[in-house]
């Protein structure tokens, strides 16, 4: 895929010295602590620029959204990026957000879903990547909690009756087991999975366009029910229309919000393959439902299984079995079984408890969670890693292993 | 599965000292070189004793069929094994063999299929195992050659229309590419695979009972056509009726005759699973065709794929791709590509050429093939093994690796 036009414009930011860390905060004179300023900056960036440019995401990550936003707002540049940023009417976006009954979430909000943080570290897919700067969410309840135990069910729009049957069954059975079903709200497999989930529980539809007019219009009634019983979410402002690029960038959110991705059907060239690629780029489990070898709609699931990129899944138990070791809600933690003492000291156990299962955290984050100094954390981390209770799954990023050591 | 009744009788052979190697040849006074005596002994053992007892197979392997046969014929024992051996009318079996137009093959015959030798080394399956002492074959042409490039296609008798369609297509496309389709002649998947193969080429039906009355009777017309265009084969004498135990023992021949086994459909408890277990016990490739997850007949293929025991196969190309590196007929040998000299010396190349692909050979056999002494063979073997051109896949048993080293 070609990068979107405005991505080229980032070069001028680099030319202006913005890409060298530290240099840019000095160029603006106001303090950046203000949460309201951050919210406005993130909303403005979402409104001005399409997400999914890994270089722009890195720049905002390094310099902070307020710094980037205010620099671009105040620059006299005639480059497209700056012009677009200056053209954003944040107040109008805020009004549209309220008008469609949605909330704009930023990472510091308690409702912010933790899973999207992995997009900051994952490999780009087709040159796209990076975490969203904010998310518009419509729906009742705790969005982060809904996503914390979730499975993406994706597949072809031109699905078969077989695929829709399986997607609806899996959607219903996942919801019945307390998993939120995440999908794209499209025709075919997406709609069947959402419908199945709605019959038993909550579901999340991730939109490529804004939440003011849910897409596709043919699924308007379904999407309204999803919003009422679960959530619709988008990183585009309410009035944004979907585009091909926005669908690809949207797919990374589906994969990032869910703990695992299941592909039910997909032809030889499949949009669902794109969602799978995002899940693989984040080292998230991918499962694929087989089908008749005579069906063109099972070509992509079969290829993924053959290539070892996906695990074959025939039923909800086989999906859940991949996630249970990752499930932070499990009642009996493995080391609790071995009784007091066990293989870990109290200090080691406390550290392992502080590590997440799916999404890793930095050593700094562990220090902050436990109130320990970095030397203590590194020492204990090294011991529990050797015992198999911690895993450095990216450099500097730690989590609990999928398979705890057997005792 | 319970071992068959007469297997317990072998203990008396052990008691009589037969199981200690070398001791038994001394107990009979005639020389054992005579090929006709060996043929009679092997035919008699097949007629008297069901195949598939690994202890009896080992005894015959160690002592030689003539020694075991003549000892049992001449012993006055009232044990069932001896009584059964003494009760065999070899002349009547020879007449029945001729009457049904079949030939009795023994390992020294040029038509003997090489693949069954792996049964002498493979792990027992459900307590059964061991190579056949002989094979009754009906059909025109070179049976060993037909099996040298072959694929077993097996599956449920209570198959679905989908499974039969796929089996017939795979059978036809394998035959079209010059592969012999091997199956069990049963209803359902077996019959569909044979029918597909018959439309383009040869096929082999392996019978659990004798060749005088082909089983099942409902497939009599099909089995007659298979015999006329290909081969029917059995290790039981012509008038033997099939039994449950003989079906399990027969399945090891299907797996052993074929270079790879493909399972098309199988319910949660499946006879085809037994054939797959035999193929796995011989380290032969197993492929499984997926199907709808809503079909009870695809449970076993899906389980095999999930467990990593089988590779998912959707088309004939994916089956053939597993075999091509093993195919001794390939025109361009990998080391031919790198030009004269290449990574191997002429001596090393000669030794690699003498190694088989699928079924290993002993160092003695390599010495015999090349006319080299054992020290030379071991020295060259060690060098080509280090270079990745030879593999000791069981202790003392050598073959070419499935994946030759990349250059």
């Amino acid at each position: 895929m070609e990068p979107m036009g405005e991505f080229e414009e980032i070069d001028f930011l680099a030319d202006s010295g913005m890409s060298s860390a530290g240099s840019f905060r000095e160029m603006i004179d106001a303090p950046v602590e203000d949460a309201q300023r951050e919210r406005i900056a993130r909303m403005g960036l979402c409104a001005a620029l399409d997400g999914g440019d890994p270089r722009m995401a890195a720049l905002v990550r390094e310099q902070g959204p307020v710094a980037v936003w205010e620099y671009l707002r105040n620059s006299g540049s005639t480059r497209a990026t700056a012009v677009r940023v200056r053209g954003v009417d944040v107040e109008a976006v805020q009004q549209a957000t309220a008008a469609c009954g949605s909330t704009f979430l930023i990472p510091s909000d308690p409702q912010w879903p933790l899973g999207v943080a992995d997009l900051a570290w994952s490999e780009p897919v087709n040159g796209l990547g990076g975490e969203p700067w904010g998310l518009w969410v419509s729906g009742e309840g705790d969005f982060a909690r809904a996503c914390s135990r979730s499975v993406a069910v994706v597949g072809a729009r031109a699905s078969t009756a077989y695929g829709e049957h399986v997607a609806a069954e899996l959607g219903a059975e996942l919801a019945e087991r307390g998993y939120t079903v995440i999908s794209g709200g499209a025709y075919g497999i997406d709609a069947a999975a959402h419908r199945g989930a709605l019959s038993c529980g909550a579901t999340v539809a991730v939109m490529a366009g804004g939440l003011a007019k849910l897409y596709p219009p043919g699924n308007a009634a379904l999407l309204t029910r999803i919003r009422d019983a679960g959530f619709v979410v988008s990183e585009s402002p309410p009035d944004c229309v979907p585009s091909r690029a926005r669908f690809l960038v949207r797919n990374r959110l589906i994969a990032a919000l869910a703990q695992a991705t299941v592909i039910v059907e997909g032809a030889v060239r499949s949009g669902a393959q794109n969602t799978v690629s995002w899940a693989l780029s984040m080292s998230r489990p991918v499962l694929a439902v087989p089908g008749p070898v005579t069906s063109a709609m099972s070509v992509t699931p079969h290829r993924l299984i053959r290539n070892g990129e996906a695990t074959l899944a025939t039923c909800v138990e086989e999906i859940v079995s991949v996630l249970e070791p990752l499930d932070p809600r499990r009642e009996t933690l493995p080391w609790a079984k071995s009784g007091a003492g066990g293989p870990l000291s109290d200090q080691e156990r406390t550290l392992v408890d502080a590590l997440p299962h799916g999404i890793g955290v930095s050593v700094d984050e562990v220090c902050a969670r436990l109130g320990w100094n970095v030397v203590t954390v590194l020492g204990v981390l090294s011991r529990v890693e050797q015992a198999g209770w911690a895993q450095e799954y990216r450099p500097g990023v730690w989590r609990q292993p999928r398979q705890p050591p057997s005792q």
Side-chain angles (χ1 to χ4, degrees), chain A:
Chain A
M1 195 208 144
E2 290 292 307
M4 282 168 275
E6 71 268 25
F7 289 0
E8 294 158 22
E9 304 295 328
I10 294 169
D11 292 335
F12 97 91
L13 297 172
D15 296 344
S16 67
M18 269 191 68
S19 61
S20 57
S23 64
F24 189 64
R25 288 189 187 219
E26 299 153 16
M27 297 170 70
I28 56 166
D29 44 29
V32 295
E33 290 78 22
D34 182 14
Q36 187 55 26
R37 277 175 77 193
E38 182 179 343
R39 195 172 299 272
I40 286 169
R42 287 181 174 274
M43 182 181 276
L45 288 170
C46 285
L49 310 171
D50 279 330
D53 176 1
R55 290 189 299 166
M56 184 56 95
L59 193 71
V60 173
R61 197 182 311 132
E62 285 162 17
Q63 303 285 349
V66 174
V68 174
W69 170 253
E70 296 192 357
Y71 173 81
L72 290 168
R73 287 288 263 193
N74 300 328
S75 89
S77 168
T78 56
R79 297 282 194 142
T81 304
V83 171
R84 288 182 68 161
V85 165
R86 285 200 302 274
V88 171
D89 180 349
V90 175
E91 209 167 304
V93 177
Q94 285 173 320
Q95 284 168 0
T97 303
C100 72
S102 67
T103 308
F104 182 69
L105 295 180
I106 64 171
S108 55
D109 290 326
Q111 287 217 22
W112 181 259
L114 293 173
V116 295
D118 271 0
L119 288 170
W121 306 99
S122 62
E123 284 295 308
V125 173
N126 298 330
L128 300 176
E131 66 276 35
W133 298 308
L135 289 172
W136 278 268
V137 177
S138 286
E140 300 285 326
D142 185 336
F143 182 63
R145 190 184 170 88
C147 295
S148 71
R149 192 176 151 93
S150 62
V151 174
V153 179
V154 298
R157 279 168 294 166
S159 51
T160 68
Y162 162 71
E164 288 166 28
H165 169 81
V166 173
E169 283 292 309
L170 289 180
E173 293 181 21
L174 283 166
E176 210 167 61
R177 280 166 177 73
Y179 286 91
T180 303
V181 173
I182 296 179
S183 195
Y187 299 128
I189 297 302
D190 286 15
H194 285 307
R195 278 199 194 93
L198 279 176
S199 69
C200 303
T203 183
V204 171
V206 186
M207 299 282 102
L211 301 185
K213 192 175 178 189
L214 301 175
Y215 184 91
N219 276 350
L222 173 65
L223 292 165
T224 305
R225 281 188 285 137
I226 293 170
R227 187 186 60 199
D228 293 347
F231 300 92
V232 292
V233 56
S234 175
E235 67 178 307
S236 299
D239 295 318
C240 180
V241 291
S243 67
R244 181 175 146 69
R246 289 197 183 101
F247 279 108
L248 294 174
V249 167
R250 181 276 310 263
N251 290 344
R252 89 191 193 293
L253 284 184
I254 295 177
L257 290 171
Q259 291 176 274
T261 295
V262 182
I263 177 169
V264 176
E265 286 193 319
V268 61
R269 287 176 61 92
S270 163
Q273 165 73 62
N274 179 250
T275 311
V276 164
S277 298
W278 287 112
L280 293 172
S281 80
M282 287 178 281
S283 305
R284 304 271 176 94
V286 174
L287 298 107
V289 175
V293 298
T294 48
S295 167
M297 283 299 142
S298 290
V299 167
T300 290
H302 290 158
R303 188 185 59 230
L304 291 167
I305 296 165
R306 260 184 80 82
N307 292 350
E309 293 172 307
T311 304
L312 185 147
T314 66
C315 58
V316 70
E317 287 78 12
E318 291 177 349
I319 295 167
V320 168
S321 71
V322 174
L323 290 169
E324 293 296 306
L326 291 167
D327 183 358
R329 289 196 201 172
R330 61 183 169 190
E331 287 170 16
T332 314
L333 292 163
W335 52 80
K337 288 175 192 160
S338 61
L344 295 179
S345 72
D346 285 350
Q347 190 189 37
E348 289 163 348
R349 198 172 293 188
T350 305
L351 182 135
V352 173
D353 276 328
L355 296 178
H357 288 83
I359 305 142
V361 290
S362 66
V363 173
D364 284 351
E365 174 68 26
V366 178
C367 294
R369 286 184 184 189
L370 296 172
W372 298 357
N373 66 49
V374 68
V375 176
T376 308
V377 167
L378 285 173
V380 180
L381 257 183
S382 147
R383 292 203 301 277
V384 298
E385 184 191 23
Q386 285 197 348
W389 288 106
Q391 181 186 24
E392 190 176 11
Y393 89 111
R394 291 181 192 282
V397 182
W398 292 80
R399 66 178 177 194
Q400 290 186 33
R402 288 199 187 155
Q403 290 290 343
S406 58
Q407 290 170 41

